[in-house]
Amino acid sequence: MNYRYIAIRLLQTVPVLFGVSVVVFIIIHSAPGDPVVNMLGIDVTEENVAELREIHGLNEPLYVQYVNWMGGILQGDLGQSLTRERSVTALIAARLPATLFLAVVSMLIAIVIAIPAGIISAVYKGSGSDYAVTVGSLTGISIPNFWLGLILILLFARTYSFLPPGNYVAPSEDPVAALRHVALPAVTVGTAFAALLARQTRSSMLDNLNQEYVKMAKSKGLSSRKIFVRHALKQALLPVITVAGLQFGYLLSATVVVEQVFAWPGMGRLIWSAVQQQDYPTVQGTVLVVATLFVLINLVVDLTYSYLDPRVSVS
């Protein structure tokens, strides 16, 4: 393992996260409205507003507020929520496991469905299976996830009472109940992901099956199974792994709408409510944490790619 490369990549995340923090800080503070007024309500005096703004440091110039916020981050403090009597770090720690669990299960469902479907579609190109996978992929990409979530709740939770309509249960408490509660939101999130991954797998498999080294292996008399497993499949999965890793990072942010539909107590609902309430520290902290996870996932994808294909240098 190239530890020097990992260290360089981790250092490269610093300017990226700095840029994210600046953009998020400017956008959230440029939004119309006053968070202090939202906290106190309409019937308040100017003295109450001024006092609360001073308590939370909102009376300072924007650059001073940003410097104070970054100073707290360097000390491991993401700030104090304006609307909840808790620190942003505690809020994220309480919500992040639910979002990670949903994202992981969604990705596993997508991979289990998409990769075999993409392989079958490529191997039997032009067949009924190929057309079925193609149509299914286009449908999965086109369906809005909030609409799909509502349909799944109507069918499996309301009409047939087969699965609960969301509501997070920690896997450490009851693994079976956790899987039952995550099933519908995970299918909702993973459908579009599976559709994209199936198309990528099919395209990559077709490309590798037409390569010269596959034709040479056939000319040497190798069995179709050996050619497929030892040569075409391994190379075809490399770009698929890259897409899967990048999409997993997007899944962390794509759960915002789905968490609202299924009342899933994750980061998506936290960000949504914080934006509505103009809770500056909570929005800034959650976005920064999601951005950090996204960058780290990209690093893991790069390292995995280089491990599977030694020809790819990470130096």
Side-chain angles (χ1 to χ4, degrees):
M1 183 176 292
N2 193 329
Y3 294 102
R4 180 176 177 273
Y5 172 78
I6 297 176
I8 293 175
R9 283 295 303 272
L10 290 176
L11 289 175
Q12 289 175 346
T13 64
V14 175
V16 173
L17 296 178
F18 173 74
V20 170
S21 69
V22 172
V23 172
V24 172
F25 187 88
I26 293 175
I27 291 176
I28 189 63
H29 282 79
S30 300
D34 190 333
V36 174
V37 175
N38 291 338
M39 294 167 60
L40 297 177
I42 300 176
D43 299 327
V44 294
T45 63
E46 294 183 3
E47 290 77 10
N48 296 137
V49 174
E51 181 182 357
L52 196 57
R53 291 181 66 85
E54 183 176 358
I55 290 174
H56 291 284
L58 298 176
N59 59 332
E60 300 285 352
L62 283 182
Y63 72 90
V64 175
Q65 294 183 42
Y66 178 79
V67 171
N68 292 337
W69 178 54
M70 289 301 297
I73 290 176
L74 295 177
Q75 298 176 19
D77 181 13
L78 293 174
Q80 190 75 17
S81 171
L82 298 179
T83 58
R84 301 171 176 85
E85 296 181 356
R86 299 181 66 184
S87 68
V88 176
T89 303
L91 289 172
I92 293 175
R95 299 294 190 100
L96 185 58
T99 294
L100 289 177
F101 181 54
L102 174 57
V104 169
V105 176
S106 301
M107 184 181 69
L108 292 177
I109 291 175
I111 289 176
V112 169
I113 295 173
I115 292 183
I119 292 174
I120 292 173
S121 179
V123 173
Y124 300 100
K125 181 182 177 182
S127 65
S129 300
D130 183 21
Y131 289 118
V133 172
T134 301
V135 172
S137 299
L138 293 174
T139 304
I141 294 174
S142 304
I143 295 178
N145 54 14
F146 71 88
W147 182 86
L148 178 61
L150 293 174
I151 295 299
L152 292 178
I153 290 175
L154 180 63
L155 288 177
F156 295 100
R158 295 288 181 253
T159 304
Y160 299 106
S161 301
F162 182 68
L163 291 170
N167 297 320
Y168 173 67
V169 175
S172 58
E173 296 178 3
D174 189 339
V176 176
L179 291 176
R180 283 177 51 82
H181 282 76
V182 80
L184 294 184
V187 170
T188 303
V189 175
T191 296
F193 181 34
L196 177 64
L197 206 59
R199 290 172 61 87
Q200 177 64 44
T201 303
R202 179 184 184 277
S203 176
S204 182
M205 278 297 303
L206 287 175
D207 182 63
N208 280 273
L209 289 174
N210 292 323
Q211 295 294 323
E212 292 297 329
Y213 66 86
V214 173
K215 297 178 181 179
M216 183 177 297
K218 290 180 180 179
S219 66
K220 290 182 178 180
L222 293 179
S223 64
S224 300
R225 181 179 178 182
K226 288 185 178 180
I227 295 173
F228 176 76
V229 174
R230 294 185 181 181
H231 299 280
L233 181 60
K234 183 178 179 180
Q235 295 299 319
L237 288 180
L238 291 177
V240 175
I241 290 173
T242 302
V243 172
L246 294 176
Q247 287 299 312
F248 181 72
Y250 285 114
L251 283 180
L252 297 176
S253 57
T255 58
V256 174
V257 175
V258 175
E259 287 183 5
Q260 292 293 323
V261 173
F262 289 94
W264 193 261
M267 294 279 285
R269 293 191 73 193
L270 178 62
I271 295 175
W272 181 270
S273 62
V275 169
Q276 288 182 317
Q277 299 167 352
Q278 289 188 296
D279 190 345
Y280 295 163
T282 303
V283 175
Q284 294 163 184
T286 50
V287 172
L288 192 61
V289 169
V290 171
T292 302
L293 291 174
F294 189 85
V295 171
L296 293 178
I297 289 170
N298 284 341
L299 174 60
V300 173
V301 170
D302 287 347
L303 295 176
T304 304
Y305 199 106
S306 64
Y307 175 77
L308 294 176
D309 189 354
R311 296 173 301 174
V312 178
S313 175
V314 297
S315 59

